[in-house]
Amino acid sequence: MEGSDTYLIRPNHQYKFKPAIVKECIREIVRERLSGMRYDPEEVPELSRSLADCIKDKVKNAGFDRYKLVVQVVIGEQRGQGVKMSSRCLWDADTDNYAEDVFINDSLFCVAAVFGSYYY
Amino acid sequence: MSSDKKITKEDTWKPAELRKHIREGGHVENNVRRRDDSERRQRGGESVERTRRDPEKETRREKDKLRERRDKEEIDKYADRRKEGSRDRRSERDRKEETRRDKVVDGKTYDEDKERHRDKEDRDKRREEREERKEKERRRHEEGGEGETERREKQDREKRDRHRERDKDEDKRNDRERRERKHVEVKEDGENRDEQRRRREERERRHKERGNHDEKRKHDSRSREHRDVKEVVEEVRGHGGDRERTERDKNKERKHREDEEPERNHRRDPTSSRKSDKASDKSHDAKTEAAKDEDLADYEDDFEDYEEDFEELDESPDEEEEEEKEGSEVLEEKEELTAERRKEIEAIQRAMAEENQRVQSREISSTEEERPRWSRGSEKTPSVDSQRGKFIDFVAAKQREVSKKVASKQKKRSTELLRLIDLDFSTTASLLDLPPVNEYDMYIRTFGTANTKQAYVQCNEDNVDRDIQTEETEVCEKWTQHPPEHNGACGDPNLSREAQDKSEMSFDSRRLTAFLRSASQVMVVLLEEHRADRKSLEKMKSPTDSTSFSDGSLLLNTKLPFLYGRSVSLLHFSPAQKHTVMSVHRPTETPSAVRLDSCSIICIWNIWEPSSPQRVLIYESEVQCCCFSPGKAVLVFAGTSVGSVLLWDLRENTEDHYSLKIGEEEWTFRQPTFSTDAVMSGSGHFSSVTSVEVVPSSSSSDVPLLASEEESSGLSFQLASLDEVGVLNFWVVLELPKANEAGSPTDLGLRPGGKVKLLHSSVLLTAERESPRDAAKTGPLQTLNLKFLPTDSNHFFIGTNMGLVNHETSHGLKVPPRFYRFQEAGVQPVDVTSIHFSPFRKHLFLVGCGDGSIRLHAVSQQHPVSEWRNSTSGEPVISLQWNQTRPSVFCVLDGASNLHIWDLLRNDTQPVVTEKLHSDRVTAMSVFGDSGQQHTYSGVALAHESGKIEMQYFTRSLTVSSSEEEEKLESLVTEAF
């Protein structure tokens, strides 16, 4: 009746989500924004939101074509407590990937994770 | 479909109802509210509500009468619905849809198409209807004569039946419409095809089923239906008597309408074929049966009851036309109504829109299934609706439509894609793992940093080690006792007995071997002596006359193959073991069977065993001088022409040495145990060694040299060696505690397995001239002889080639006289060939010279006690020795092979015996003798040129000493000074 749709099942290699590059992006931004910062509960929500946006914009410009990005930024205070954070994804491991970076200074820790999901 | 049951209010809110509510005015609010309350109530309830609205309907009765046939059908449906309500909710909704669609159909003109289908269907329908009607008639006749309620029931039943067939009919139409519509919608709604088809199929199936079921069930369920109807009727009654009145009015009106209808139908046929069908159907029925007319009238009356539900259709253009035709009354009313309520309508419409929106947003998820159909309808109708000036919330609908479209698109996409890709769970990635900081670190972080700095960390603190002694202590039981009893003062209870036995055994064997060794030696000697005695007895008889001094002679057996053709250069007796003699045989020029020609051979003899030498020593170069060790003759020293000092240890086993089988006998040739050859290059001799002498120790001089074996084997004595140029070396003779079979790595002069070695201790340069002037006239000084003063090893005497004997000391001040010289002054180039101390008067010594002169010196005097010149008629003195048993007797061998025996007691100017041994020249002479208690003997050993060694025993006169001999010597000394 009608021709079957054609899909791009796999991204071209050059457009594939590369964790190393993304990690570098995250690191750059997080270092720049958070170095020397002290934890302030008032401004951390806004800070994490803007960080996430910043990271998302930067990664978008990195040229991962047809990728949907999810950026998660967690900032917490460092008071000697133990923190454990992990993620699990249901995805197509061939195309999808994630990158994360941790920034820690005396007063806070920041975990930024970017999940890239390929849009077929 | 289960989702179909989720009917929401928006579905129930139809434009018609809305209008109705508006008209109801004050009731509207109430109704709306009630409706909200009964949102999910069954249709039956709703229908009841509708019945209550009847009073208002009265006003519109006129208009309703003019309604289309088609509308009536729908009214019929609603009537059915009112009665069947809950039983057939589904078909009801379909019908609702249908009405909506029909509106559309009205607005547009695709009815020709529809008509064609309808013709066909209508034929079928007519047939069915006919049959059904017959049946109904039959039933009615059966039930005839019943009251109004019964009639009503019949009507209802008929209505139901009709409805049923109408349902079928309508379903078919629906299908057709849908099919048609599909063509329109395919473009936008392709995805829903399946769903629609499914839905349609199911619907059809259900209708069929129901139809069949109803047919079958008609009789069975009659009573039930009856009951249902009754209930409904009662409900209706409960709402007031006006209801009945209305019905009656309706009936009247119906009659009026019946008349009009055919005309109407004919007039409107082109637009609605169904109406004409119906009309013809009815007319046909009327012709066939008279009763049917009434029936039909009733049937149509029923429709009138529910006209009000479809008021909204009034505003369609053709209806309006009709309305105009109907009469001004209705129109007026309507205009009045619109004028009055326009604002209100608008307000309510707004409110409704809001509410719709609210509900929609609230139930957007639950109405998922409903939405597409709804929106589809709404999409089609806007033009119509706008024409009618009604407001329905199409924006939300459109949104829903769009979102639905998107969702379905995505769904399709996902279904297609999920076939191609696999989703899987990623392994759990740890994004952050921040361990809790322990208290110490926290403390350090917060407080510990003030003025402190952590520079170092003690680590490895967990590496703790611990040891346990697991080895058991060895325990051994011993006992001790004081004072000691029996064998010992201590012991082991377990081992004492065996140990005792063992020690006793070993002690015994050692003693036994020692005994056997000495006993065997004794036995051998005895046997040898016995044989020698017999030989000497025989000899004494035959050659007695040859020598005047001899009391008998003994020949050593030198007729050995390796001694053949060798001349004897030296004979030397051991000073301690006086029966041991060694003979030095020169290398021979004549080739022999034995390959030892270039070697010097030294044979050690026991004079009691003359048949064969005890030991045979061998060395590569010519031996110039030799001597025995003091005490027991176990060591032999020799100096060679190449400047080496040699040492043989006679105790070594024969197995350690090279043995050669010559003839039938096997001979062992011993290489020196120690040699200074090329070993002591820095401290050795560089010219031929002229003399080797054992330095007499003071102890050995005092104590007679008959020390025990143990003492002599202690071997701590010095050896002196003198070479031609006057270098005097002192050596320490050292016995090693243990022999090394592999040889000594440090002392290369030591033979492997050897135990005795020489250590160089000191060196003296003894070539001292009387005056430097002599050197020019006499040539180089040679040192030829070395003798130590037997009583003092510090003093030694060296004979030179200047006719002088130098007196020197190894340490300490020089003691006069420095030289022992001739009677007359001056130095003559004469060799001192021999020096010999008197064994009895140890300060007297004899010097023999190369010119044949013999001098008797006292140690203390520079000049001789006496000097005998020309006693040998000018022949050089070769050897000169005191007699061992008589102090005043000495023997002199001169170069002409004459043996002179001097007896100073008898004649102190010339020798008493001069024996000329010219037949076989004598090359060496040595005096032997023992003044022992049991057997005093003395003699002279003569080595002949032929190699024969002859032992001549002196006669008794020369052997046995007398008391005046020493006095004679004393007197000689005192006379001289």
Side-chain angles (χ1 to χ4, degrees):
Chain A
M1 192 164 173
E2 49 187 307
S4 61
D5 295 324
T6 54
Y7 298 107
L8 197 58
I9 289 293
R10 292 284 175 267
N12 205 334
H13 179 71
Q14 56 181 330
Y15 301 133
K16 202 170 171 177
F17 189 89
K18 296 177 190 68
I21 293 172
V22 178
K23 194 181 173 83
E24 201 44 57
C25 290
I26 299 170
R27 180 181 295 264
E28 205 174 292
I29 289 166
V30 171
R31 292 288 176 283
E32 182 189 321
R33 296 277 297 275
L34 289 184
S35 54
M37 285 279 286
R38 297 209 56 82
Y39 184 83
D40 181 0
E42 302 287 311
E43 65 182 49
V44 154
E46 182 50 41
L47 178 66
S48 53
R49 221 167 284 132
S50 75
L51 263 179
D53 288 339
C54 201
I55 290 167
K56 189 180 75 188
D57 291 342
K58 177 135 188 167
V59 175
K60 264 186 178 172
N61 291 332
F64 303 126
D65 214 13
R66 294 170 72 99
Y67 266 97
K68 301 282 182 202
L69 300 172
V70 178
V71 181
Q72 186 188 17
V73 175
V74 174
I75 299 179
E77 189 172 10
Q78 266 265 70
R79 296 201 76 111
Q81 81 281 23
V83 185
K84 208 168 179 88
M85 204 175 136
S86 57
S87 71
R88 194 153 197 219
C89 309
L90 173 64
W91 65 16
D92 183 0
D94 290 343
T95 57
D96 307 340
N97 213 334
Y98 84 100
E100 58 98 15
D101 195 36
V102 181
F103 173 86
I104 294 176
N105 68 15
D106 287 344
S107 80
L108 58 82
F109 65 88
C110 172
V111 184
V114 176
F115 299 88
S117 174
Y118 184 69
Y119 184 73
Y120 299 98
Chain B
M1 277 189 195
S2 60
S3 58
D4 285 355
K5 278 169 191 162
K6 290 186 200 162
I7 293 158
T8 57
K9 196 170 145 196
E10 60 199 3
D11 295 313
T12 65
W13 275 108
K14 292 196 176 39
E17 284 169 355
L18 180 61
R19 178 66 51 85
K20 198 167 59 195
H21 281 273
I22 291 159
R23 290 212 191 100
E24 274 167 10
H27 291 283
V28 169
E29 311 301 314
N30 264 343
N31 284 336
V32 168
R33 227 177 293 134
R34 214 174 296 144
R35 228 161 245 261
D36 284 340
D37 295 340
S38 61
E39 241 175 24
R40 287 180 186 80
R41 215 186 282 168
Q42 305 281 297
R43 282 297 154 126
E46 286 177 38
S47 63
V48 168
E49 282 170 25
R50 263 175 230 143
T51 57
R52 256 188 287 151
R53 272 171 246 139
D54 286 348
E56 281 94 6
K57 284 174 212 160
E58 294 281 57
T59 58
R60 286 164 277 146
R61 192 56 38 92
E62 287 302 311
K63 181 188 67 185
D64 292 343
K65 277 176 201 159
L66 298 175
R67 190 155 298 162
E68 290 176 355
R69 175 73 185 276
R70 192 174 55 86
D71 292 342
K72 277 184 208 158
E73 286 169 8
E74 285 170 1
I75 291 160
D76 173 32
K77 266 186 288 166
Y78 275 92
D80 279 352
R81 195 204 295 156
R82 196 187 68 177
K83 279 154 189 164
E84 296 179 345
S86 60
R87 225 182 70 187
D88 195 8
R89 231 177 303 143
R90 234 199 56 72
S91 56
E92 187 181 28
R93 193 167 54 252
D94 290 345
R95 254 171 268 128
K96 263 185 281 166
E97 268 179 40
E98 202 196 345
T99 58
R100 257 178 265 140
R101 275 171 219 140
D102 283 348
K103 273 181 254 161
V104 174
V105 167
D106 285 341
K108 293 167 185 178
T109 55
Y110 55 85
D111 288 354
E112 287 88 5
D113 190 27
K114 220 190 288 178
E115 267 183 311
R116 253 181 286 126
H117 292 282
R118 238 176 249 167
D119 285 339
K120 259 188 274 162
E121 288 173 17
D122 282 350
R123 270 197 297 275
D124 298 340
K125 199 165 52 183
R126 250 174 266 141
R127 241 191 342 266
E128 287 172 5
E129 278 177 354
R130 239 175 281 136
E131 286 170 6
E132 280 183 13
R133 250 173 231 145
K134 277 175 201 164
E135 197 180 286
K136 275 179 230 159
E137 292 290 292
R138 225 187 303 127
R139 258 182 260 142
R140 219 192 317 179
H141 286 302
E142 285 167 9
E143 295 167 351
E146 290 181 27
E148 195 197 316
T149 50
E150 279 180 350
R151 208 186 71 231
R152 269 185 66 90
E153 278 176 31
K154 259 182 245 168
Q155 284 174 356
D156 290 345
R157 222 178 294 130
E158 275 169 14
K159 266 182 248 164
R160 272 198 299 272
D161 293 344
R162 267 175 77 97
H163 166 65
R164 257 173 236 134
E165 55 188 46
R166 191 64 44 87
D167 266 353
K168 282 175 208 159
D169 183 18
E170 278 172 2
D171 281 337
K172 279 169 202 158
R173 210 180 338 142
N174 282 348
D175 292 348
R176 194 175 56 237
E177 280 171 5
R178 247 176 247 127
R179 244 172 274 131
E180 283 163 5
R181 207 180 42 210
K182 215 156 54 189
H183 289 297
V184 181
E185 289 177 355
V186 152
K187 287 158 256 162
E188 55 179 312
D189 242 350
E191 306 90 294
N192 283 349
R193 263 176 318 177
D194 294 348
E195 204 184 345
Q196 274 185 345
R197 200 181 303 129
R198 238 183 297 132
R199 213 181 295 155
R200 201 168 55 227
E201 281 166 7
E202 194 174 340
R203 211 179 295 136
E204 282 172 1
R205 184 172 48 81
R206 224 184 266 186
H207 277 296
K208 271 178 219 150
E209 277 175 7
R210 196 173 45 210
N212 296 335
H213 190 62
D214 284 348
E215 295 277 314
K216 273 186 278 166
R217 229 177 33 169
K218 217 158 261 172
H219 297 288
D220 313 87
S221 62
R222 181 166 296 251
S223 59
R224 194 166 59 88
E225 279 173 358
H226 184 71
R227 227 185 302 132
D228 290 343
V229 170
K230 255 184 190 166
E231 282 168 17
V232 172
V233 168
E234 265 158 24
E235 272 184 318
V236 168
R237 270 192 201 131
H239 288 292
D242 52 349
R243 163 86 180 162
E244 282 185 38
R245 214 188 315 139
T246 318
E247 280 181 333
R248 243 166 265 134
D249 289 346
K250 268 189 236 164
N251 283 341
K252 274 179 230 154
E253 284 166 0
R254 211 189 301 148
K255 291 232 166 53
H256 167 67
R257 219 165 54 174
E258 265 179 274
D259 300 332
E260 287 180 355
E261 246 178 356
E263 297 163 22
R264 227 197 316 165
N265 285 344
H266 287 296
R267 206 175 32 187
R268 295 172 63 191
D269 254 350
T271 51
S272 176
S273 64
R274 219 196 318 164
K275 278 175 240 161
S276 66
D277 290 342
K278 270 287 183 245
S280 62
D281 188 16
K282 278 169 204 159
S283 62
H284 178 72
D285 286 348
K287 282 175 210 160
T288 51
E289 282 186 56
K292 253 184 203 172
D293 283 326
E294 198 192 347
D295 186 33
L296 193 67
D298 287 344
Y299 157 72
E300 288 197 347
D301 270 356
D302 284 336
F303 290 157
E304 303 289 326
D305 292 348
Y306 309 105
E307 282 168 343
E308 73 274 10
D309 290 342
F310 304 93
E311 281 167 345
E312 74 272 17
L313 298 175
D314 289 354
E315 286 179 16
S316 65
D318 31 356
E319 272 175 26
E320 271 172 60
E321 277 173 48
E322 281 177 18
E323 272 170 23
E324 278 161 33
K325 284 172 195 168
E326 278 303 315
S328 60
E329 211 176 73
V330 180
L331 247 163
E332 275 171 19
E333 266 184 29
K334 203 179 175 181
E335 275 168 10
E336 190 184 298
L337 186 129
T338 50
E340 279 172 6
R341 307 251 177 161
R342 191 160 307 262
K343 281 180 189 173
E344 219 175 316
I345 288 164
E346 279 172 5
I348 289 167
Q349 276 177 337
R350 268 199 305 279
M352 290 307 300
E354 279 170 20
E355 193 168 271
N356 276 342
Q357 216 152 11
R358 258 206 314 279
V359 171
Q360 178 192 327
S361 62
R362 203 188 306 142
E363 302 191 3
I364 194 154
S365 57
S366 60
T367 60
E368 194 86 72
E369 275 304 318
E370 204 59 36
R371 215 187 303 148
R373 250 190 294 168
W374 203 93
S375 55
R376 235 182 288 131
S378 66
E379 263 189 315
K380 292 217 147 195
T381 50
S383 59
V384 178
D385 287 330
S386 62
Q387 270 180 327
R388 289 173 190 174
K390 273 168 67 183
F391 180 80
I392 294 172
D393 186 12
F394 294 113
V395 179
K398 196 158 192 170
Q399 277 179 354
R400 273 184 295 180
E401 174 64 21
V402 169
S403 62
K404 173 67 185 174
K405 235 194 292 178
V406 171
S408 59
K409 217 169 182 177
Q410 281 178 343
K411 196 173 177 188
K412 179 185 168 228
R413 190 182 164 78
S414 68
T415 50
E416 283 182 45
L417 275 169
L418 280 171
R419 273 186 290 119
L420 303 172
I421 57 175
D422 293 322
L423 294 184
D424 52 1
F425 272 108
S426 65
T427 53
T428 304
S430 177
L431 297 179
L432 174 68
D433 192 357
L434 205 64
V437 181
N438 62 35
E439 282 178 29
Y440 175 75
D441 287 346
M442 206 61 208
Y443 175 80
I444 288 295
R445 196 179 289 177
T446 48
F447 306 108
T449 51
N451 291 332
T452 60
K453 188 181 173 190
Q454 190 164 358
Y456 297 104
V457 175
Q458 169 79 41
C459 59
N460 212 19
E461 62 194 356
D462 53 346
N463 189 11
V464 178
D465 212 343
R466 186 172 292 180
D467 266 354
I468 296 173
Q469 170 81 34
T470 54
E471 285 175 16
E472 283 183 17
T473 314
E474 281 182 18
V475 177
C476 174
E477 211 171 301
K478 300 279 184 191
W479 59 262
T480 179
Q481 178 179 329
H482 184 82
E485 278 184 5
H486 302 300
N487 293 319
C490 60
D492 190 333
N494 299 327
L495 302 168
S496 57
R497 192 153 296 278
E498 296 113 90
Q500 275 178 10
D501 294 347
K502 227 178 259 177
S503 63
E504 278 175 14
M505 286 282 284
S506 65
F507 183 68
D508 279 353
S509 70
R510 252 166 58 193
R511 274 175 62 182
L512 181 64
T513 49
F515 167 75
L516 286 173
R517 196 177 290 150
S518 54
S520 64
Q521 184 80 17
V522 168
M523 290 308 290
V524 167
V525 169
L526 284 174
L527 286 169
E528 194 81 26
E529 275 180 3
H530 176 66
R531 202 174 56 191
D533 279 348
R534 278 198 304 191
K535 276 182 186 172
S536 62
L537 281 172
E538 289 165 11
K539 269 185 187 170
M540 273 158 76
K541 282 169 185 168
S542 51
T544 315
D545 51 346
S546 62
T547 49
S548 55
F549 59 92
S550 176
D551 193 23
S553 68
L554 190 65
L555 274 177
L556 296 179
N557 183 17
T558 57
K559 296 186 179 75
L560 297 170
F562 53 90
L563 295 179
Y564 177 77
R566 291 170 186 266
S567 62
V568 176
S569 60
L570 283 170
L571 279 174
H572 190 85
F573 279 87
S574 166
Q577 287 183 317
K578 299 188 187 291
H579 54 89
T580 303
V581 65
M582 73 174 143
S583 58
V584 177
H585 304 260
R586 281 202 187 90
T588 177
E589 286 80 34
T590 57
S592 68
V594 186
R595 296 163 295 163
L596 298 167
D597 299 334
S598 60
C599 297
S600 294
I601 292 175
I602 300 173
C603 291
I604 311 295
W605 307 83
N606 185 345
I607 53 170
W608 312 123
E609 295 177 59
S611 58
S612 67
Q614 302 263 304
R615 304 275 192 275
V616 180
L617 313 180
I618 190 168
Y619 190 68
E620 283 77 13
S621 63
E622 191 181 346
V623 173
Q624 301 275 7
C625 53
C626 60
C627 70
F628 278 108
S629 62
K632 205 170 180 201
V634 292
L635 298 179
V636 173
F637 304 99
T640 66
S641 58
V642 297
S644 58
V645 179
L646 309 177
L647 180 151
W648 281 271
D649 185 359
L650 304 181
R651 297 165 298 180
E652 284 172 359
N653 286 331
T654 53
E655 297 84 57
D656 296 338
H657 290 277
Y658 170 66
S659 60
L660 192 66
K661 188 153 186 166
I662 301 163
E664 289 166 2
E665 279 184 286
E666 186 172 348
W667 298 94
T668 299
F669 299 97
R670 297 168 182 256
Q671 292 286 343
T673 301
F674 187 88
S675 163
T676 61
D677 271 336
V679 176
M680 309 279 184
S681 53
S683 54
H685 297 284
F686 299 99
S687 54
S688 64
V689 177
T690 54
S691 184
V692 200
E693 281 290 315
V694 172
V695 178
S697 62
S698 53
S699 62
S700 67
S701 62
D702 292 338
V703 179
L705 294 169
L706 295 164
S708 66
E709 194 179 342
E710 278 73 27
E711 279 175 2
S712 65
S713 68
L715 290 176
S716 61
F717 61 92
Q718 277 193 314
L719 182 77
S721 61
L722 178 75
D723 65 10
E724 287 180 331
V725 296
V727 175
L728 178 64
N729 276 320
F730 288 93
W731 311 90
V732 176
V733 179
L734 196 68
E735 183 169 21
L736 300 172
K738 192 165 180 277
N740 188 355
E741 291 296 328
S744 169
T746 52
D747 205 341
L748 299 177
L750 187 65
R751 189 177 181 281
K755 282 175 77 175
V756 185
K757 62 186 263 187
L758 297 175
L759 271 180
H760 187 256
S761 88
S762 61
V763 61
L764 278 175
L765 200 58
T766 57
E768 198 176 352
R769 290 170 181 276
E770 193 183 16
S771 61
R773 285 175 288 128
D774 302 333
K777 133 176 116 177
T778 58
L781 178 79
Q782 278 188 317
T783 52
L784 302 173
N785 271 307
L786 172 71
K787 287 290 177 189
F788 282 91
L789 183 64
T791 53
D792 190 358
S793 59
N794 192 23
H795 299 266
F796 57 90
F797 307 89
I798 292 171
T800 66
N801 59 350
M802 292 298 133
L804 299 177
V805 173
N806 298 356
H807 177 209
E808 297 185 41
T809 54
S810 53
H811 53 269
L813 294 168
K814 294 276 183 188
V815 182
R818 285 180 61 201
F819 301 101
Y820 300 96
R821 52 182 75 243
F822 294 104
Q823 199 74 46
E824 58 268 36
V827 175
Q828 297 160 8
V830 173
D831 292 348
V832 173
T833 56
S834 185
I835 302 171
H836 198 244
F837 277 88
S838 166
F840 297 97
R841 315 296 295 188
K842 292 187 176 170
H843 63 283
L844 294 176
F845 62 94
L846 285 168
V847 175
C849 294
D851 61 350
S853 61
I854 298 164
R855 290 176 283 163
L856 177 64
H857 282 282
V859 173
S860 57
Q861 296 297 318
Q862 184 180 353
H863 294 280
V865 177
S866 59
E867 186 177 345
W868 301 280
R869 307 187 79 96
N870 301 315
S871 63
T872 60
S873 58
E875 291 295 321
V877 173
I878 292 172
S879 180
L880 174 150
Q881 282 188 332
W882 289 95
N883 191 326
Q884 299 290 320
T885 53
R886 282 191 62 185
S888 59
V889 176
F890 60 90
C891 299
V892 176
L893 178 69
D894 64 16
S897 186
N898 297 320
L899 180 66
H900 310 273
I901 298 172
W902 289 70
D903 189 350
L904 297 178
L905 193 62
R906 281 201 272 168
N907 185 356
D908 56 359
T909 56
Q910 57 181 19
V912 289
V913 176
T914 297
E915 195 72 37
K916 291 184 176 13
L917 304 165
H918 295 293
S919 58
D920 190 3
R921 282 175 57 87
V922 174
T923 55
M925 176 214 73
S926 183
V927 174
F928 66 93
D930 193 356
S931 55
Q933 295 299 316
Q934 314 103 321
H935 184 75
T936 300
Y937 67 92
S938 71
V940 63
L942 300 172
H944 294 276
E945 203 173 25
S946 62
K948 188 173 70 177
I949 298 173
E950 193 181 13
M951 316 281 287
Q952 294 286 349
Y953 290 92
F954 288 133
T955 56
R956 190 164 178 78
S957 59
L958 291 171
T959 306
V960 180
S961 62
S962 59
S963 57
E964 58 263 39
E965 282 180 277
E966 286 193 49
E967 292 168 17
K968 173 66 181 173
L969 285 176
E970 285 296 322
S971 65
L972 276 174
V973 173
T974 50
E975 274 174 32
F977 309 106

